[in-house]
């Protein structure tokens, strides 16, 4: 086992400022957790046993939360190409689980640093319990044997995705409930970091699962990254979904017109771009419908080498100057469903509660976070009384990264 630890440490864990980490706290936590779950009821533990377990877990959280996550760029996601050889799958599994463990501890440490009023809030406490469950799941892995069990690793990562699917809704409800008692800037910073880590965790997990499924016949994608994605088709498909929402809400739909770039193809993660397009088109559609504008939303697509720019232009009257500075902020005051012009939620189409996160205005901040992960940008230019232009700029992977 000692040689296995050294092998894992040497080959799979990134270097931190003070050198490669020790495995002692990790193994102590694993043994303590297993000892508790399999051989004792919680009530039967002595004070010393309980103290040791809590202390070991807390040391691990503190240890891992102090580490930086390696840069997750296109090269990182595409370093392993399908079909994976056994050793490639082994290393990919270690890297993915180790980063998930680090990000989980980042979130647990951040939650524990919130003030007491937040920690006793039922919704925030539920989020904390969920991340503790994820930590327990990661610590339950038998190293190195479980790393070779593909089915077990798939089930573990799928469970992680299911568990964290709606975590923003729960957390946002809790933060909204304490927003009158906690500094807005601190909440904003907490949410920015939370969104970033949450997006990374989902990206790494979905990319890992996709790579495990792909074989030598998979030609058009590597992990979650699709080569030559047809952008205008994605825009039109996304608008069909948005029209379903507007039809339910308003009994109306808003068409989209591709002004230029109908044939453009670009390499990117379709689910990420689809989310961004969906949020922007929802805002534009709502503006058109509520201002009785009978014309299409115009979309222009321009590609230049490994860069793509999408302009979405609507004629829905623009953004009120009184709230224009808040469009990338989180709204914590719009608790009433009929609230108007109070932060970004005033420009979000009511539809799916999870996506809108209880009206707290997560739409555009999340779009910005998705794009900035790969050096993209989201810019908005609005002319009050006329309309709004949204510029989505993407930096895609180099073609050479697709070479197998």
């Amino acid at each position: 086992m000692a040689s296995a630890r050294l092998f894992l440490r040497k080959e799979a864990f990134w270097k931190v400022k003070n050198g490669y980490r020790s495995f002692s706290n990790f193994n102590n936590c694993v043994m303590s957790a297993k000892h508790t779950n399999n051989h004792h009821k919680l009530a039967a533990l002595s004070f010393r046993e309980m103290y040791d377990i809590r202390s070991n877990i807390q040391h691990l959280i503190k240890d891992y939360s102090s580490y930086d996550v390696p840069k997750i760029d296109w090269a990182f996601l595409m370093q392993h190409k399908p079909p994976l050889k056994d050793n490639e799958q082994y290393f990919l599994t270690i890297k993915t689980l180790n980063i998930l463990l680090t990000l989980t501890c980042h979130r647990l440490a951040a939650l524990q640093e919130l003030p007491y009023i937040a920690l006793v809030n039922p919704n925030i406490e539920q989020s904390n319990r969920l991340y503790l469950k994820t930590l327990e799941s990661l610590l339950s892995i038998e190293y190195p044997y479980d790393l070779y069990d593909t089915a077990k690793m798939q089930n573990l990562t799928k469970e992680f995705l299911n568990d964290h699917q709606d975590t923003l809704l729960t957390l946002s409800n809790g933060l909204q409930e304490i927003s009158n008692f906690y500094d807005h800037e601190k909440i904003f910073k907490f949410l920015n970091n939370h969104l970033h880590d949450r997006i990374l965790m989902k990206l790494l997990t979905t990319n890992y699962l996709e790579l495990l499924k792909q074989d030598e016949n998979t030609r058009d994608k590597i992990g979650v990254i699709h080569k030559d994605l047809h952008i205008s088709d994605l825009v039109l498909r996304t608008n069909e979904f948005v029209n379903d929402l507007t039809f339910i809400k308003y009994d109306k739909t808003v068409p989209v017109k591709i002004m230029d770039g109908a044939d453009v193809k670009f390499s990117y993660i379709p689910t990420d771009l689809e989310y961004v397009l969906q949020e922007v088109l929802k805002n534009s559609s709502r503006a058109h419908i509520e201002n009785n504008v009978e014309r299409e939303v115009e979309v222009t697509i321009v590609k230049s080498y490994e860069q793509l720019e999408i302009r979405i232009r609507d004629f829905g009257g623009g953004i009120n100057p009184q709230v224009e500075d808040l469009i990338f902020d989180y709204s914590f005051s719009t608790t009433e469903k009929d609230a108007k012009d109070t932060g970004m939620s005033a420009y979000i189409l009511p539809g799916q509660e999870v996506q809108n996160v209880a009206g707290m205005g997560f739409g555009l901040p999340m779009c910005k976070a998705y794009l900035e992960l790969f050096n993209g940008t989201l810019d908005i230019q609005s002319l009050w009384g006329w309309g709004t232009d949204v510029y989505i700029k993407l930096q895609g992977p180099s073609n050479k990264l697709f070479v197998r």
Side-chain angles (χ1 to χ4, degrees):
M1 183 62 72
S3 61
R5 294 175 192 168
L6 178 61
F7 178 73
L8 293 176
R9 182 174 62 191
K10 179 180 178 182
E11 298 295 336
F13 285 71
W14 61 86
K15 208 168 187 178
V16 294
K17 183 169 59 176
N18 295 324
Y20 289 106
R21 69 173 298 274
S22 165
F23 279 74
S24 59
N25 284 341
F26 181 87
N27 289 321
N28 286 339
C29 287
V30 172
M31 296 306 296
S32 296
K34 290 180 179 178
H35 180 71
T36 302
N37 292 333
N38 295 335
H39 301 290
H40 288 280
K41 292 183 179 179
L42 189 62
L45 290 174
S46 68
F47 174 82
R48 183 64 189 183
E49 288 173 322
M50 179 66 75
Y51 175 83
D52 287 342
I53 293 171
R54 292 177 64 91
S55 179
N56 284 334
I57 294 295
Q58 201 58 40
H59 280 314
L60 181 136
I61 293 173
K62 183 178 180 181
D63 183 23
Y64 264 85
S65 65
S66 68
Y67 297 150
D68 293 329
V69 174
K71 182 175 177 58
I72 309 298
D73 55 14
W74 297 121
F76 183 93
L77 292 177
M78 302 171 71
Q79 60 188 303
H80 299 293
K81 298 175 175 62
L84 298 180
K85 298 178 182 177
D86 289 343
N87 64 325
E88 289 180 316
Q89 181 174 325
Y90 182 77
F91 289 132
L92 175 64
T93 301
I94 294 173
K95 292 174 186 176
T96 302
L97 294 177
N98 190 53
I99 297 175
L100 285 179
L101 182 58
T102 301
L103 289 169
T104 298
C105 290
H106 278 190
R107 291 300 89 222
L108 283 168
L111 284 165
Q112 292 171 3
E113 290 174 1
L114 290 173
Y116 180 74
I117 192 173
L119 295 177
V120 297
N121 179 276
N123 286 307
I124 297 176
E125 200 273 332
Q126 182 178 339
S127 296
N128 186 66
R129 287 202 311 270
L130 182 59
Y131 280 98
L132 283 173
K133 178 186 175 184
T134 299
L135 179 62
E136 180 183 4
S137 179
L138 292 170
L139 294 179
S140 70
I141 298 171
E142 291 277 4
Y143 286 87
Y145 311 109
D146 284 350
L147 301 178
Y148 294 99
D149 190 338
T150 301
K152 184 169 186 175
M153 292 299 97
Q154 286 177 316
N155 290 335
L156 185 147
T157 47
K158 287 177 182 177
E159 181 183 11
F160 165 82
L161 287 176
N162 291 332
D163 286 345
H164 289 267
Q165 185 173 1
D166 299 333
T167 53
L168 271 181
L169 179 60
T170 302
L171 183 62
S172 66
N173 287 336
L175 291 172
Q176 192 171 34
E177 290 166 359
I178 68 164
S179 59
N180 292 332
F181 310 99
Y182 191 41
D183 181 70
H184 174 78
E185 291 298 323
K186 292 181 179 179
I187 292 180
F188 183 85
K189 182 178 179 181
F190 174 88
L191 285 174
N192 273 341
N193 293 333
H194 185 86
L195 281 178
H196 178 269
D197 287 356
R198 181 179 181 271
I199 289 172
L200 276 185
M201 294 170 84
K202 181 179 179 180
L203 174 62
L204 289 166
T205 306
T206 53
N207 190 65
Y208 173 73
L209 288 171
E210 286 297 316
L211 282 171
L212 292 185
K213 292 190 300 183
Q214 294 167 2
D215 55 28
E216 62 276 0
N217 297 319
T218 306
R219 300 295 180 187
D220 59 342
K221 58 183 180 179
I222 295 176
V224 294
I225 304 164
H226 286 231
K227 184 176 174 59
D228 296 332
L229 184 66
H230 200 287
I231 302 302
S232 63
D233 282 354
L234 183 61
V235 171
L236 295 175
R237 289 199 307 270
T238 303
N239 196 60
E240 287 180 5
F241 172 75
V242 172
N243 279 338
D244 290 340
L245 297 181
T246 61
F247 187 79
I248 293 171
K249 174 68 177 179
Y250 300 102
D251 198 26
K252 293 182 179 179
T253 60
V254 178
V256 159
K257 182 178 181 181
I258 306 296
M259 305 299 292
D260 197 12
D263 298 327
V264 169
K265 294 182 179 179
F266 191 71
S267 299
Y268 206 72
I269 304 172
T271 52
D272 289 5
L273 181 55
E274 183 180 21
Y275 177 84
V276 175
L277 291 171
Q278 179 181 305
E279 291 302 315
V280 175
L281 289 172
K282 280 163 61 179
N283 296 340
S284 296
S285 296
R286 174 176 176 171
H288 273 222
I289 292 172
E290 294 192 345
N291 288 282
N292 297 312
V293 177
E294 298 293 336
R295 63 182 297 181
E296 303 103 331
V297 171
E298 297 179 355
V299 177
T300 301
I301 304 167
V302 179
K303 178 182 177 181
S304 177
Y305 298 101
E306 293 159 6
Q307 295 182 330
L308 182 78
E309 183 169 341
I310 305 172
R311 185 190 69 187
I312 300 177
R313 170 173 288 177
D314 70 57
F315 306 91
I319 301 173
N320 190 327
Q322 294 181 350
V323 298
E324 191 169 357
D325 291 339
L326 302 176
I327 60 176
F328 291 114
D329 200 353
Y330 304 97
S331 281
F332 294 97
S333 60
T334 57
T335 54
E336 297 181 3
K337 292 183 179 179
D338 296 330
K340 295 290 185 180
D341 295 340
T342 50
M344 195 55 231
S345 63
Y347 296 92
I348 293 180
L349 175 68
Q352 294 177 311
E353 187 181 29
V354 171
Q355 291 174 340
N356 288 342
V357 193
M360 289 186 66
F362 273 74
L364 288 183
M366 277 196 72
C367 291
K368 200 166 183 287
Y370 271 116
L371 294 174
E372 289 178 349
L373 192 62
F374 296 105
N375 300 316
T377 59
L378 181 67
D379 297 312
I380 297 178
Q381 295 181 359
S382 177
L383 181 61
W384 180 234
W386 178 253
T388 302
D389 284 357
V390 177
Y391 295 89
I392 301 168
K393 296 181 181 179
L394 306 175
Q395 180 74 43
S398 170
N399 286 332
K400 64 182 181 181
L401 292 175
F402 285 93
V403 178
R404 297 175 188 267

